Amino acid sequence: DAKTTQPPSMDCAEGRAANLPCNHSTISGNEYVYWYRQIHSQGPQYIIHGLKNNETNEMASLIITEDRKSSTLILPHATLRDTAVYYCIVRVAKTSYDKVIFGPGTSLSVIP
Amino acid sequence: DTEVTQTPKHLVMGMTNKKSLKCEQHMGHRAMYWYKQKAKKPPELMFVYSYEKLSINESVPSRFSPECPNSSLLNLHLHALQPEDSALYLCASSHPGVLYGYTFGSGTRLTVV
C-alpha cells in the first residue's frame, strides 16, 4: 500500500471549516483513500473514502486532486467534539480480506 | 446492530496469568481484526481473520493466541505477558473485499503487572 504523509498537528477555531491535508504521491490506480479518526480513549471511527471523485457524507467531504497524489478531508463546521487524531490511509481491497495500516495521523484540536 | 463489542473494558493481569479478551459483532462481517495501541501511537495490526480463518499474523509473539470460534466472535488469549504488552487492544470487523470502512470496538485497556 502507498505511504501517506500528514502534518502531526493542526488547530481549528470552533465553527470554522477544518481542512486536513494528506500526501500520497505513490498511490496506484486501484488504491482508495480512506479517512478515520480516533477520539481520545475510543476506537477509530471510519469517516469517508474515495477513489478519484470528490465525496461527501454527513460527516465530512473528501477532495482528491486530479493526479490523486494528495487529498483533503474537510469538516465543514468543526465542533469541540471533532478534536481527535485523523488518519489518512491508502489501500487496495483484497478479495477475501484487507488490512488497514495506520500512520501517525494528524492531531486536530478544535479551539473554542 | 452496528457495533463491535469488546469485553472486558479494563483488565489487570499478572505475568503468570492466563486471560482472554472477547470481541463480538452481529453485522454479518466476515473479516475481523485485532490491533494493539500504545499510548500516543497509532494502532498496530496484529491479526486478521477472514471467514473464520487466520489470514494474517503480523509476527506477533506466541504469548498472544487468537481464536475465531464463529463468524460473530473473536477472542485473544493471553498468557505469560510482559509489562511492555500493556496497551489498548482494539477489535474491528468489516466485509472482506467490500469497500466500506472498518467498525472498531472501544477496546480493552490491558495492564500487565
Side-chain angles (χ1 to χ4, degrees):
Chain A
D1 294 337
K3 195 164 180 169
T4 61
T5 305
Q6 299 177 253
S9 64
M10 292 181 64
D11 291 338
C12 177
E14 189 178 16
R16 304 297 294 268
N19 296 290
L20 293 97
C22 180
N23 286 322
H24 30 79
S25 58
T26 61
I27 193 170
S28 59
N30 59 350
E31 288 183 309
Y32 287 71
V33 180
Y34 284 75
W35 284 83
Y36 287 78
R37 73 179 182 184
Q38 187 173 21
I39 296 170
H40 182 62
S41 295
Q42 296 183 20
Q45 176 189 25
Y46 163 78
I47 301 173
I48 199 168
H49 76 276
L51 181 63
K52 52 185 177 182
N53 298 321
N54 298 337
E55 302 287 346
T56 296
N57 63 21
E58 64 279 3
M59 289 182 68
S61 295
L62 174 61
I63 308 297
I64 302 175
T65 58
E66 194 168 337
D67 63 8
R68 304 209 322 123
K69 293 185 177 182
S70 65
S71 60
T72 301
L73 178 75
I74 301 172
L75 309 177
H77 304 286
T79 71
L80 299 179
R81 287 174 293 183
D82 293 321
T83 293
V85 178
Y86 287 78
Y87 298 102
C88 169
I89 294 152
V90 172
R91 66 182 174 106
V92 178
K94 311 293 185 188
T95 54
S96 60
Y97 65 87
D98 51 13
K99 60 182 186 179
V100 171
I101 304 296
F102 291 85
T106 295
S107 178
L108 175 69
S109 296
V110 180
I111 313 295
Chain B
D1 188 353
T2 59
E3 289 188 347
V4 172
T5 302
Q6 290 190 244
T7 54
K9 293 198 180 308
H10 300 275
L11 178 64
V12 179
M13 62 184 289
M15 290 188 284
T16 59
N17 290 160
K18 285 186 180 180
K19 296 286 185 183
S20 296
L21 310 184
K22 180 180 171 183
C23 172
E24 199 163 5
Q25 57 87 17
H26 298 285
M27 294 176 281
H29 291 171
R30 301 304 296 274
M32 297 186 75
Y33 312 79
W34 280 114
Y35 283 81
K36 172 183 176 180
Q37 186 173 28
K38 303 282 279 184
K40 298 191 184 301
K41 297 290 187 183
E44 295 176 25
L45 182 67
M46 300 175 72
F47 301 104
V48 178
Y49 272 83
S50 177
Y51 297 98
E52 296 86 67
K53 293 193 187 315
L54 183 64
S55 298
I56 295 176
N57 177 342
E58 295 283 279
S59 303
V60 178
S62 60
R63 57 186 183 269
F64 296 91
S65 175
E67 178 197 20
C68 190
N70 59 58
S71 60
S72 299
L73 191 56
L74 184 67
N75 298 319
L76 186 63
H77 303 296
L78 313 172
H79 174 55
L81 294 193
Q82 303 298 310
E84 57 265 29
D85 296 321
S86 298
L88 180 68
Y89 287 84
L90 294 160
C91 174
S93 69
S94 71
H95 289 293
V98 176
L99 295 173
Y100 300 134
Y102 286 13
T103 301
F104 279 83
S106 55
T108 294
R109 177 76 58 189
L110 174 68
T111 304
V112 181
V113 298

